[in-house]
């Protein structure tokens, strides 16, 4: 490619996302839209997750993928994080895992995009800030921190498979920003409503 | 100071903390001990704090200072953070504030050592990790995240002025790592027991 | 779906990534591999980037996408971050942007997966930890911190479009962990060698 | 103390910092000023520090303490961090260490206030943001990231004991925000000028 043609190519490409049709995609002419995808978080227990919670998480992940959303989890190869990611991959979705560690150990193999924070549990705040809405599936200290951080950031949270004390507490804490769902289908419908999809 | 005497001075100083007597403290000979101080965290609502919670926080700060402990809070000039820091200063204590921001705005004037994290609520994890024990005084989304992060880090938490749903939830979440106190005096006694002081 | 068939479906899906053929992908039988993708970081100036640096970043992004790697940048709609992301999208790649902010403002529209950290420049460490290798394109204070953090984390860094002082400094700092490239093609070849692709 | 007198005490104490004279300090009447102390950072190599750098760091710490400033370092029991903290303690100063870890291991015993971030090298950003001015003493990858992050945050940096490539690079990067000092005394004089003390 000559330098002149490269400059021309570059300038055209810079227009790529400005709503113009682009002539540079292998000859195909197509309308390009804004790329930022919708990320939905699923948070829940790791090693202490029950089979019931993991089953729900798997289905959640699958339904989230079917909506065309990107799944965000804590990324570890354990519990709800892992099951939700597997569910999303089983439906052909894209999965992001935001990890507490700095090395690729203990990462769910169902995570496409592992983000290594080396921040321990402070990464929980990144999980919720990166999610348009958060579904909590089951309860643990880490999950409780994620729900609380989401409410602090004015994010809406859908609760699934929480025990009575947990539900009562987070409803008293979050008011209308907290929605209780009976099953994964209801949870995803609640997310749809939250994000206006 | 000649270079030789400086080297000698340096070497002596390096022995400063090894349990030897030091000849370099303005002539006074004294035994020096390990310096790391005991930091105790007080967490609670900011702008939404009630007068009752602030009063308790002020007394907590005062009692913590009287024990010779360093007070750690979220550092903002609001609510429980501010009141606890004022209490500690009223008793001649040292106060550390770990702030969500990056600039010296909205910092409690009763904070001696402001730490600017520019991390928003992710700084809550630093608050609890830096505290040998945490006292929660009142409830808010931020406070809930701090209790949850403390329990996740296997820190013990003393609850003061929490409503019934909050107490029930955190007791179900934390088990023996959660202690309920009736008043600031009881809270500080619980901290003493926790840290073996 | 009956509860029994669901359990069976779930168990089969859990085997999805264990190297077995899966019967559950819409009838298609296929071998599934580990999902974790290879992330490559491109770091460089934001608002102060020159046209030459942006042109190189665009080409870098495009070449990275053509290798099947995921592009990681700081995610803002400025300078090298933006140009590299546009380049990757022009070649049909996947782009991740790890942002300093907590809200979707100032995000490059060529970023598929925006990660909101609310950590300011501390997010630079996440950028480099999440990248298998880092290409620095141009120089700024933020970029310098990213190269230094990458070297601290024992990551290898490819330098492109750096001035003489910068090259001399980082070579003296990083030794063999620093590779100088003359153009985007050389930079990508260096990355290939680094990650053993 | 009756409840009424407590309320009165509390209210008086809340006025404690408003510039009024306070009657509650053990009978002594005194004017109270704003409490936020001036924190000055000393950054430098850990395990790889030379004796010359540690000697300079010790003297820096000592001089900083003599100015009444609080010393901020990375807090580990190694290299420049440790030596500067020892120097500050030898002069009766107060020392803060902002640590990469989450547990009290590898903490300099000359640190009064250990802050545990569990953020690895991302804590470097907190070090510089919490410092009114930063003195870099010696060079390493971690130190380089701290100087770069300081410059990114528009903090002024004093360079001491840097090699020629490092000095040339950071001067080209930081312009007037970078000051080169020949010895600890000059470095502290430069800090004085920077903070207007």
């Amino acid at each position: 490619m000559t330098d002149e043609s490269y400059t021309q190519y570059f300038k055209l490409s810079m227009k790529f996302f400005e709503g113009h049709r682009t002539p540079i995609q292998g000859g195909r002419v197509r309308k390009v839209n804004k790329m930022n995808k919708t990320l939905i978080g699923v948070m829940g227990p790791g090693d202490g997750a029950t089979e019931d919670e993991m089953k729900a998480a798997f289905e959640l992940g699958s339904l989230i993928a079917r909506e065309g959303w990107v799944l965000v989890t804590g990324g570890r190869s354990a519990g709800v994080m892992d099951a939700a990611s597997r569910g999303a991959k089983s439906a052909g979705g894209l999965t992001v895992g935001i990890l507490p560690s700095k090395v690729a150990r203990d990462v769910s193999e169902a995570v496409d995009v592992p983000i290594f924070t080396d921040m321990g549990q402070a990464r929980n705040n990144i999980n919720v800030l990166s999610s348009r809405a958060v579904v909590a599936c089951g309860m643990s200290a880490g999950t409780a921190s994620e729900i609380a951080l989401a409410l602090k950031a004015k994010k809406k949270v859908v609760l699934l498979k929480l025990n009575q004390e947990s539900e009562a507490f987070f409803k008293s804490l979050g008011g209308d920003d907290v929605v209780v769902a009976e099953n994964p289908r209801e949870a995803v419908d609640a997310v749809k409503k939250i994000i206006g999809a």
Side-chain angles (χ1 to χ4, degrees), chain A residues 158-193:
Chain A
V158 181
L159 307 182
L160 184 65
K161 303 279 171 193
L162 264 64
N163 61 26
Q164 217 167 352
E165 285 96 349
S166 309
E167 259 188 43
F169 171 65
F170 284 111
K171 278 160 81 172
S172 83
L173 189 68
D176 290 345
D177 287 344
V178 167
V179 180
V180 177
E182 290 301 313
N183 54 54
R185 182 71 259 167
E186 263 191 44
V188 168
D189 287 344
V191 170
K192 263 188 188 169
K193 212 170 146 190

Side-chain angles (χ1 to χ4, degrees), chain A residues 22-60:
Chain A
T22 168
I24 60 172
Q25 286 283 295
R28 287 184 304 120
V29 175
R30 58 174 182 137
K31 182 77 174 57
V32 180
N33 295 312
K34 225 168 162 301
M35 289 288 138
N36 294 179
K37 293 181 194 298
T38 298
L39 277 62
I40 302 296
V42 172
M43 315 287 152
D47 303 302
T50 64
E51 190 172 331
D52 186 46
E53 288 159 1
M54 289 177 71
K55 201 151 107 180
F58 186 92
E59 196 179 349
L60 265 176

Side-chain angles (χ1 to χ4, degrees), chain A residues 29-133:
Chain A
V29 175
R30 58 174 182 137
K31 182 77 174 57
V32 180
N33 295 312
K34 225 168 162 301
M35 289 288 138
N36 294 179
K37 293 181 194 298
T38 298
L39 277 62
I40 302 296
V42 172
M43 315 287 152
D47 303 302
T50 64
E51 190 172 331
D52 186 46
E53 288 159 1
M54 289 177 71
K55 201 151 107 180
F58 186 92
E59 196 179 349
L60 265 176
S62 160
L63 292 170
I64 283 169
R66 276 169 226 269
E67 295 293 335
W69 302 329
V70 175
L71 176 72
V72 176
T73 71
R76 291 181 49 236
S77 60
V80 161
M81 299 172 260
D82 189 48
S85 301
R86 286 172 192 277
K89 290 313 299 177
S90 79
L94 181 68
T95 55
V96 174
I98 300 176
L99 290 136
S101 62
K102 70 176 162 184
V103 287
R105 197 168 41 210
D106 196 26
V107 183
S108 169
E109 55 193 355
V111 163
D112 292 306
V113 178
I115 304 293
F116 295 100
T117 66
D118 196 21
M119 287 175 63
Q121 298 301 308
R123 71 82 151 82
N124 296 0
N125 200 42
I126 302 180
N127 290 1
V128 301
L129 293 176
S130 300
S131 301
R132 285 277 299 279

